[in-house]
Amino acid sequence: MLETAGIRLDISGTEEYLKPAAREALAPAVATAAAALEAGTCAGADYLGWLDLPGRISEAELTACAATAQRARDDSEVYVVIGIGGSYLGARAVLDALGGSQSGHPEIVFAGTGLCSAALVRVLKKIEGRDFRLCVVSKSGTTLEPAVAFRLLRGILIGRYGEEEAAKRITAVTDASRGALRSLADQEGYETYVIPDDVGGRFSVLTPVGLVPLAVAGVDINSLVAGARGMMEACRTDDLAANPAHLYAAVRHGLYKLGYTTEVMSTFHSGLQTVQEWWKQLFGESEGKGGKGIFPASTVFTTDLHSLGQYIQDGRRNLQETFLCVRQAVTELEVPAEDPGGTNLDGLDYLVGRSLDDINWKAYEGTRNAHLSGGVPCTSLEIDQLTPEVVGGLLYMFEKAVGISGLLLEVNPFDQPGVETYKKEMFRLLGKP
Ligand code: PA5
């Protein structure tokens, strides 16, 4: 068990499959990949800004985010964040993991995360009769989904507050100089934040892409960044057994080579569902290239034990499982005793006085045992309690791990050429000039 910054990594459930000697044999390749990241000599070296980002975020940047947050708090009940993919998943993941907006802070609502009109209608209902601001996030400044949502919401904002006040209620997070959003923001005088050139969308949660909405929600972004910084330091060593990102990358890669080509991330904490979505983008978009890559999937237990649990236990044996488990969730609820005279007809008296968190943890331990007995190699990431520090550390650990494991696969982990294909087809059908 390796404990780092509040996260325990347990790979004992993989050793029957990937023998310790085989795992350790991957150490030189992992060290070579890490050195290439550090030296900037790997594929995609123009996009390595995330690597030392936690150490470079300045007090001034954090203060600017806090000032934006204060303005939103002063005049808005709802803060609509418009973006898709890497331009929204990180903020949403952190927010959901930490239980949403803090009391007294605006509710954060996400828009432009697709083209579904029903989703946009839900956003419109949220702002009905409530003061709101918009934060539009797009690195390219040209992505269709957020652009459409922004046009629509901007019109409503202007209708509600007038041109001048509306412009004061918009923050644009985008490229320093390129793209339609940058031009619009400059022309209209919106407040702007810059997404660094050398940080790709799925690695951008610790740039203003994530930090601005999270600050507005009242998340302690200083602690989030401090947690990521601590993990960054811990992930520098070449000692495989002491480096959680490298160890996780090596284990999942070793299992992949043995035919475990799908990785299911399973959690028992419903608030981690969007962390799983963020993780799926990070790993899927970074690794799935050239006919290679682990397919990232996710389940939320115990809910999905009553659906996908059957497949994981007993279906095709190409699955490796990574548990992401939290011992204590948000509140401490216990199974109550029945009123005097109760007859224990529901048979639950043996659980009286036990917390739901404790029962949930036993469900995790039992599920892990079951899946191990079903032939699924299991890695565990165990956390006592989700705090901004721990979440910051977790995100950085995954970023470093995917950098390493992409290079082990011999792909460029930092590009995403495949996502252009659907866009071309869609724009052709839409008649884009
Ligand atoms: O990881 C990525 O690069 C993508 O998911 C992008 O973040 C996403 O497509 C949104 O792009 P943009 O920020 O340019 O609107």
Side-chain angles (χ1 to χ4, degrees):
M1 182 89 82
L2 171 61
E3 177 147 12
T4 318
I7 301 164
R8 292 185 295 278
L9 171 61
D10 179 1
I11 56 163
S12 60
T14 64
E15 293 186 331
E16 196 185 323
Y17 309 88
L18 180 68
K19 304 289 179 207
R23 183 181 72 231
E24 279 147 30
L26 288 166
V30 170
T32 302
L37 287 175
E38 283 297 334
T41 52
C42 60
D46 287 345
Y47 293 96
L48 290 173
W50 58 273
L51 191 60
D52 61 352
L53 183 64
R56 285 191 289 118
I57 298 165
S58 66
E59 274 304 312
E61 278 178 272
L62 295 169
T63 306
C65 293
T68 296
Q70 188 58 51
R71 283 192 287 277
R73 212 177 161 186
D74 287 345
D75 65 16
S76 297
E77 294 155 89
V78 183
Y79 196 70
V80 184
V81 179
I82 304 168
I84 193 167
S87 287
Y88 104 101
L89 270 171
R92 186 161 186 182
V94 175
L95 192 62
D96 288 351
L98 296 174
S101 287
Q102 304 298 293
S103 142
H105 290 261
E107 179 184 359
I108 307 292
V109 170
F110 293 93
T113 63
L115 291 166
C116 168
S117 56
L120 207 44
V121 166
R122 281 195 292 275
V123 173
L124 300 186
K125 289 219 168 80
K126 288 274 185 190
I127 57 174
E128 250 170 37
R130 298 167 85 197
D131 280 312
F132 70 103
R133 281 180 172 250
L134 301 178
C135 177
V136 55
V137 186
S138 179
K139 188 171 186 204
S140 64
T142 54
T143 308
L144 182 66
E145 293 90 336
V148 167
F150 183 47
R151 180 183 277 215
L152 201 136
L153 286 160
R154 192 174 75 235
I156 295 172
L157 191 76
I158 292 170
R160 180 92 63 94
Y161 299 99
E163 294 262 2
E164 200 177 323
E165 173 63 13
K168 290 187 190 142
R169 285 177 171 265
I170 295 174
T171 298
V173 183
T174 190
D175 187 85
S177 56
R178 283 166 302 195
L181 180 57
R182 167 53 64 186
S183 310
L184 183 63
D186 288 347
Q187 182 188 300
E188 299 295 326
Y190 303 153
E191 175 187 51
T192 59
Y193 283 86
V194 171
I195 309 175
D197 272 349
D198 58 358
V199 181
R202 58 191 175 275
F203 291 86
S204 68
V205 57
L206 296 176
T207 71
V209 171
L211 297 179
V212 169
L214 290 170
V216 172
V219 169
D220 179 355
I221 55 172
N222 293 59
S223 297
L224 183 80
V225 170
R229 199 179 302 129
M231 184 59 81
M232 178 181 77
E233 296 305 333
C235 292
R236 286 195 197 284
T237 175
D238 274 340
D239 177 358
L240 187 61
N243 185 321
H246 293 195
L247 188 55
Y248 171 59
V251 167
R252 63 194 295 287
H253 180 77
L255 290 169
Y256 170 73
K257 289 284 186 195
L258 292 172
Y260 298 98
T261 54
T262 293
E263 180 180 6
V264 183
M265 176 178 281
S266 298
T267 188
F268 285 73
H269 188 315
S270 57
L272 289 175
Q273 195 164 5
T274 18
V275 170
Q276 294 175 315
E277 295 305 316
W278 174 86
W279 169 87
K280 285 196 289 195
Q281 185 199 358
L282 184 69
F283 281 80
E285 213 168 49
S286 300
E287 291 190 326
K289 287 158 204 176
K292 295 187 264 191
I294 298 175
F295 184 77
S298 63
T299 56
V300 179
F301 293 157
T302 58
T303 309
D304 291 334
L305 285 172
H306 298 259
S307 58
L308 288 171
Q310 171 62 39
Y311 192 106
I312 297 174
Q313 188 67 43
D314 209 16
R316 189 169 170 220
R317 299 296 74 185
N318 66 338
L319 304 180
Q320 50 174 299
E321 188 167 25
T322 299
F323 287 101
L324 178 59
C325 290
V326 181
R327 197 172 264 279
Q328 197 184 4
V330 183
T331 51
E332 180 86 355
L333 285 178
E334 287 182 356
V335 177
E338 285 187 301
D339 290 339
T343 50
N344 190 31
L345 268 181
D346 59 9
L348 292 182
D349 273 4
Y350 76 106
L351 292 176
V352 167
R354 292 185 78 165
S355 74
L356 286 183
D357 285 344
D358 178 35
I359 296 169
N360 205 21
W361 193 263
K362 291 293 171 219
Y364 152 56
E365 291 177 340
T367 304
R368 183 175 178 276
N369 290 342
H371 290 178
L372 283 172
S373 74
V376 181
C378 292
T379 297
S380 290
L381 291 160
E382 297 180 356
I383 292 166
D384 285 335
Q385 209 171 3
L386 288 170
T387 61
E389 286 91 342
V390 168
V391 173
L394 186 69
L395 300 180
Y396 186 85
M397 193 205 88
F398 284 135
E399 289 181 356
K400 183 77 189 284
V402 83
I404 299 287
S405 71
L407 295 181
L408 291 177
L409 276 175
E410 298 180 346
V411 299
N412 175 353
F414 309 115
D415 66 0
Q416 54 284 327
V419 300
E420 294 310 313
T421 318
Y422 98 87
K423 288 186 191 169
K424 267 196 205 129
E425 274 302 298
M426 175 179 72
F427 287 132
R428 185 179 64 76
L429 293 169
L430 287 171
K432 185 180 179 185

